[in-house]
Amino acid sequence: MNRLYVFLILFCSFSTRAQEQNPQTDEKRNLVKMNLTGVVFRNFQFAYERTITKRLGVQVSYGFIPTGQVPLVDQYIKDDNVNNVRMGGSNFTLEPRIYLGRGYGHGFYIAPYYRYSHFDVDNVTYNYTSEDPMHQGEKIPIAFSGKTNSNNVGLMIGAQWLLGKKDNWVLDVWFIGGHYGGATGTIIGKSGRPLSVEEQNQLNNDIQDLDISLFDYTVTTNASGATIALDSKWLGVRSGVSFGYRF
């Protein structure tokens, strides 16, 4: 993240010089917005955009997801033994915008962007069934918790309209955007009791066989439970509607 902070400082310095060289006749160059569609998925996202020139704007957004049940989780984790899937997280997006229409924050735009995302996995339960002859058929809950991080770059296409008699209100529609990057993290599972060597081996195989389509991962097990190391390429999409105020 230190490199990101240096980049932000340099970018803001460049933007300030560009603004001085290209003064905008309209003084309303600040836009604050809230993502309306993300609320459905408990993703609360807020953005600030600054118009630099007629064709160039820069938007910075921050979003957070309170820890809770994951919407549509069955599409990603297809195993009846996995339940209580709870996650939370946050994301930061830096997004230069190139306006192709009327400009000054109005009209169609294309936007290359960088996004950093962080997710917390909170006490996800895997109900492991022992095949050890000494504990045949016993259900052992394994509680998993941990963190993941991802860095992504992408491109978005959208359009923004200024509304009202004084063009004070903003409607921002992201038609489609896609990003690519990498995700890493560590998820640690704690067993309800010490596991035998046979149970450790079986647990390792069971987790390896889970149908989790979102990540590539490796597993190690011990008497206390299991550790899942995530290291995967990451594809994501963006679309939605934001509404805000211009001043």
Side-chain angles (χ1 to χ4, degrees):
M1 289 297 287
N2 289 336
R3 293 181 181 178
L4 175 60
Y5 294 145
V6 173
F7 175 78
L8 284 173
I9 293 171
L10 294 175
F11 191 88
C12 290
S13 176
F14 166 79
S15 298
T16 300
R17 290 197 298 269
Q19 180 181 319
E20 292 172 352
Q21 296 170 3
N22 299 276
Q24 182 179 327
T25 56
D26 187 348
E27 294 182 357
K28 296 177 181 178
R29 292 174 294 191
N30 305 292
L31 303 91
V32 290
K33 293 169 279 187
M34 178 179 180
N35 179 3
L36 301 180
T37 49
V39 175
V40 178
F41 300 99
R42 295 187 303 104
N43 184 358
F44 301 95
Q45 192 163 38
F46 304 89
Y48 167 74
E49 181 180 354
R50 175 75 174 181
T51 301
I52 306 301
T53 68
K54 180 177 181 179
R55 298 299 178 194
L56 177 64
V58 179
Q59 178 167 291
V60 177
S61 62
Y62 173 78
F64 66 93
I65 304 172
T67 300
Q69 296 291 331
V70 178
L72 306 176
V73 67
D74 292 340
Q75 295 185 13
Y76 303 104
I77 302 178
K78 302 174 183 179
D79 193 295
D80 293 337
N81 290 316
V82 179
N83 51 51
N84 193 36
V85 179
R86 293 170 53 85
M87 292 183 66
S90 60
N91 59 74
F92 166 84
T93 307
L94 175 64
E95 182 181 304
R97 291 185 165 196
I98 302 169
Y99 284 91
L100 308 175
R102 291 174 54 183
Y104 294 121
H106 193 168
F108 286 91
Y109 62 82
I110 57 175
Y113 64 91
Y114 163 79
R115 167 167 284 194
Y116 168 79
S117 299
H118 170 83
F119 295 98
D120 294 310
V121 178
D122 179 41
N123 205 36
V124 175
T125 302
Y126 174 61
N127 294 308
Y128 161 75
T129 302
S130 175
E131 294 181 3
D132 187 324
M134 298 293 294
H135 305 279
Q136 186 71 37
E138 179 184 346
K139 289 284 187 180
I140 306 171
I142 312 290
F144 287 92
S145 297
K147 304 177 184 297
T148 67
N149 301 290
S150 69
N151 293 276
N152 311 271
V153 292
L155 182 68
M156 187 170 68
I157 299 172
Q160 186 161 267
W161 291 272
L162 306 180
L163 309 175
K165 293 182 179 180
K166 297 182 179 181
D167 287 343
N168 283 347
W169 300 103
V170 181
L171 181 65
D172 186 5
V173 180
W174 325 337
F175 294 132
I176 186 65
H179 51 262
Y180 175 80
T184 59
T186 302
I187 312 297
I188 298 176
K190 296 183 178 180
S191 172
R193 65 162 175 78
L195 303 176
S196 67
V197 173
E198 183 171 344
E199 289 172 333
Q200 294 173 42
N201 294 333
Q202 182 198 336
L203 178 61
N204 189 304
N205 293 332
D206 287 354
I207 296 176
Q208 294 281 8
D209 291 339
L210 286 175
D211 186 6
I212 303 178
S213 58
L214 202 58
F215 290 108
D216 294 327
Y217 58 93
T218 58
V219 183
T220 57
T221 53
N222 53 44
S224 299
T227 299
I228 303 175
L230 307 174
D231 189 0
S232 178
K233 300 302 180 183
W234 178 281
L235 287 172
V237 295
R238 294 176 66 193
S239 63
V241 177
S242 292
F243 187 76
Y245 186 74
R246 177 174 176 257
F247 58 96

